[in-house]
Amino acid sequence: MSFDLVFFGGTGDLTWRKLMPALFQAFRHGKLPEGGRILAVARDEMPDARYREWLKERFREVEGPKRPSDEEFEKFAALVHYRRMDLSQPAHYQHLKDWLAERQADTVVMYLATSPHLFTQICEQLGAAGLNEPRVRVVLEKPLGHDLASAQQINRVVRSVFAESQAFRIDHYLGKPSVQNLMALRFGNALFEPLWHRESIANIQITLAESLGVGTRGPFYDGTGALRDMIQNHALQLLTMIAMEPPSTADADAIRDEKLKVLRSLKPFTPETVARDVVRGQYRAGTVDGKAVVGYLDEGKISADSACETFVALRTEVQNWRWAGVPFYLRTGKRLAARDAQIVVNFRPVPHPIFPGSNRANRLVIKLQPEDGLELQLLAAKGGAHGEALSPVSLDLDFDKAFAANRVGAYERLLLDAIAGRLNLFVRSDEQEQAWRWVEPILDAWKQDPASLRTYGAGSWGPPAASALVARDGFAWAEEQ
């Protein structure tokens, strides 16, 4: 299958840090379809050879095992081309159309690795130039909008140019192998599904924690915040996959229909419940990995009076028969104690304990990063004496070790799926808008209550109020148990 893959924003951070390295890995693993061309477009004027040299320099910053040798890069670079393009100029889209028409590839993928405010302009210009025929697909990088209204406007323009089946709204968390194993865990095995309901599960915790600060993303992050950056997309997508009903098939729309049902079942927020069930914070100076780090307000290009949240913890419920009364806790933040992304399913304790000791409840930990695996925490007898207390033991599966050969990274998987036209791991417009609809009351409440912003020391697990949020129900975050 021949394909042309066009990166708008071809000299941007996302392209050279994530997308090009992911494509190289697909090329190295022999998974990139033959007959492909990769075109980077940006405002700078340079010939193909100069862009390839520029890209080669950027590849030196890729982590060691994923860095190409000179010979590998030369073979990969032969697929890479560059064109100068002013995204506001209709004539430049015509030039792009002429380039694509040189060979009429089976598939054309337009990847918008640009600022979201350019999405509508690019899509409109693609439509005006006739670059929206059925063989064309458009990939939209997050964030898609700043609120519900802006998301709806982007979707209106995209729908006016492309069919829904041509629009690939990307959430790179859905491409992680561990998230694929979440689907396999639930719907490929008979073991857990009979227990996957309110009678067996006490609470579910989703944590997306980073030890890094905002770094060079300061201006972007300050206008976005943790709720928009992580909760509205990544965390909610993980929640839907945990809570969804079994789809009838593995077809994209069957899966996305069930995810949408979960989003529509989330308990809506009011100003009163935002004050009670949502904690937002901003990191101050502290110590991370033994090194002193500055607070958020002292990061580069951050306003001294910024009220941007770098931490969010919240409690919600899925209001349906399966999950009624089960709290779901979502948490994300920067400059936390560790880089740790995981889903913790806390089961209920046995109804009638017969062994001495604490008899702690079973727990399933789905590890997303930095490890990728599953850990099932059980209780067992050591066999040392009669009447002994049970001891915690773990069944621990490391997917990187179990499936060591050529595991596919998130962006590599999603790029290959976009080329192949597989929509399963991409977000449908109604999903995305429903997520914004649920999040927006929180944003509105924060505007009315600026004093709700708490601070927390860098290197901690966030404001103490986040622990109190869970303790109110008689539970604790995983690291506090």
Side-chain angles (χ1 to χ4, degrees):
M1 179 189 71
S2 61
F3 72 90
D4 285 331
L5 175 55
V6 182
F7 288 128
F8 291 83
T11 56
D13 275 10
L14 177 64
T15 298
W16 70 262
R17 286 185 186 276
K18 299 290 187 181
L19 303 180
M20 286 294 190
L23 277 177
F24 168 72
Q25 291 304 315
F27 175 80
R28 171 186 270 177
H29 297 156
K31 294 178 179 178
L32 195 64
E34 294 184 7
R37 294 189 302 179
I38 303 163
L39 176 65
V41 302
R43 293 180 66 94
D44 305 305
E45 184 71 68
M46 65 177 96
D48 287 356
R50 184 177 167 194
Y51 181 79
R52 290 165 181 163
E53 283 299 316
W54 176 88
L55 186 62
K56 186 175 183 179
E57 286 300 312
R58 303 286 83 73
F59 266 60
R60 298 187 195 282
E61 299 183 32
V62 174
E63 56 184 296
K66 296 183 178 180
R67 194 177 303 152
S69 66
D70 288 344
E71 182 180 355
E72 286 178 318
F73 182 81
E74 290 306 314
K75 291 179 180 178
F76 173 71
L79 307 178
V80 178
H81 306 268
Y82 178 86
R83 290 187 75 90
R84 179 184 178 274
M85 192 166 174
D86 183 335
L87 300 180
S88 67
Q89 297 298 315
H92 288 204
Y93 290 85
Q94 187 59 51
H95 296 158
L96 172 62
K97 185 177 183 179
D98 294 341
W99 187 85
L100 294 170
E102 289 175 4
R103 63 173 195 148
Q104 289 293 316
D106 297 326
T107 299
V108 176
V109 178
M110 308 287 192
Y111 197 118
L112 309 193
T114 66
S115 174
H117 78 271
L118 295 173
F119 288 175
T120 55
Q121 179 188 72
I122 296 172
C123 288
E124 287 171 339
Q125 294 279 15
L126 289 172
L131 286 169
N132 60 338
E133 56 189 293
R135 70 188 179 112
V136 177
R137 296 163 192 145
V138 62
V139 181
L140 303 166
E141 182 65 52
K142 84 165 188 79
L144 277 89
H146 195 71
D147 52 18
L148 177 60
S150 58
Q152 289 174 326
Q153 173 60 16
I154 290 172
N155 284 330
R156 274 193 295 270
V157 172
V158 172
R159 279 194 294 266
S160 73
V161 178
F162 297 98
E164 181 67 32
S165 60
Q166 294 174 276
F168 290 66
R169 297 168 188 83
I170 198 166
D171 185 327
H172 73 269
Y173 259 73
L174 298 185
K176 289 180 177 292
S178 47
V179 177
Q180 305 314 301
N181 275 304
L182 173 56
M183 294 285 286
L185 172 80
R186 288 201 57 198
F187 307 129
N189 299 282
L191 182 62
F192 288 107
E193 195 59 28
L195 304 175
W196 217 257
H197 51 67
R198 64 187 182 279
E199 287 86 358
S200 299
I201 293 177
N203 69 85
I204 293 177
Q205 303 175 10
I206 299 174
T207 295
L208 304 175
E210 300 177 82
S211 58
L212 296 175
V214 295
T216 59
R217 296 177 73 217
F220 163 78
Y221 193 90
D222 202 50
T224 304
L227 186 71
R228 292 184 176 96
D229 192 41
M230 297 295 286
I231 296 293
Q232 185 273 336
N233 38 73
H234 301 328
L236 282 186
Q237 283 294 314
L238 294 175
L239 187 155
T240 62
M241 297 179 78
I242 279 286
M244 65 190 281
E245 295 297 318
S248 58
T249 68
D251 176 73
D253 277 332
I255 293 170
R256 298 191 294 183
D257 286 346
E258 297 302 335
K259 289 162 63 183
L260 179 61
K261 290 177 186 177
V262 174
L263 291 169
R264 287 175 171 167
S265 300
L266 287 175
K267 186 176 182 179
F269 282 106
T270 65
E272 293 74 26
T273 58
V274 170
R276 185 188 68 208
D277 294 338
V278 183
V279 176
R280 64 168 175 157
Q282 185 185 90
Y283 66 84
R284 60 179 186 270
T287 303
V288 177
D289 295 330
K291 297 180 181 178
V293 296
V294 300
Y296 179 74
L297 297 181
D298 294 316
E299 298 277 16
K301 299 181 181 179
I302 299 297
S303 172
D305 59 353
S306 172
C308 175
E309 81 284 355
T310 62
F311 175 94
V312 177
L314 61 84
R315 179 194 189 278
T316 189
E317 296 179 18
V318 178
Q319 296 181 313
N320 61 21
W321 276 42
R322 182 185 287 263
W323 297 111
V326 176
F328 285 72
Y329 304 106
L330 279 59
R331 174 176 63 164
T332 187
K334 290 190 173 295
R335 285 297 188 208
L336 296 181
R339 176 175 177 259
D340 185 22
Q342 63 178 16
I343 303 168
V344 180
V345 180
N346 289 299
F347 291 93
R348 296 189 184 280
V350 294
H352 177 64
I354 62 173
F355 296 97
S358 63
N359 284 302
R360 62 184 292 179
N362 301 138
R363 185 165 66 172
L364 175 67
V365 182
I366 302 162
K367 303 174 183 177
L368 306 177
Q369 67 179 30
E371 300 174 11
D372 175 12
L374 297 172
E375 182 181 348
L376 181 60
Q377 299 178 3
L378 308 169
L379 293 175
K382 293 180 179 178
H386 176 71
E388 68 177 340
L390 300 182
S391 299
V393 295
S394 294
L395 302 178
D396 200 348
L397 174 61
D398 185 330
F399 288 124
D400 286 327
K401 293 179 180 177
F403 309 117
N406 292 344
R407 297 206 76 201
V408 177
Y411 272 110
E412 181 182 349
R413 170 69 180 270
L414 293 170
L415 283 163
L416 291 173
D417 279 3
I419 293 169
R422 292 186 291 264
L423 283 159
N424 298 49
L425 302 180
F426 295 86
V427 180
R428 204 166 59 192
S429 61
D430 50 3
E431 282 184 81
Q432 180 216 2
E433 291 178 14
Q434 184 59 34
W436 275 118
R437 196 170 284 114
W438 183 76
V439 160
E440 203 156 60
I442 304 175
L443 296 169
D444 293 340
W446 286 350
K447 290 177 185 176
Q448 303 302 318
D449 185 18
S452 64
L453 182 68
R454 297 172 168 87
T455 61
Y456 61 97
S460 71
W461 279 106
S467 296
L469 174 72
V470 182
R472 193 178 66 214
D473 294 328
F475 304 125
W477 292 106
E479 75 277 355
E480 297 172 343
Q481 295 178 19

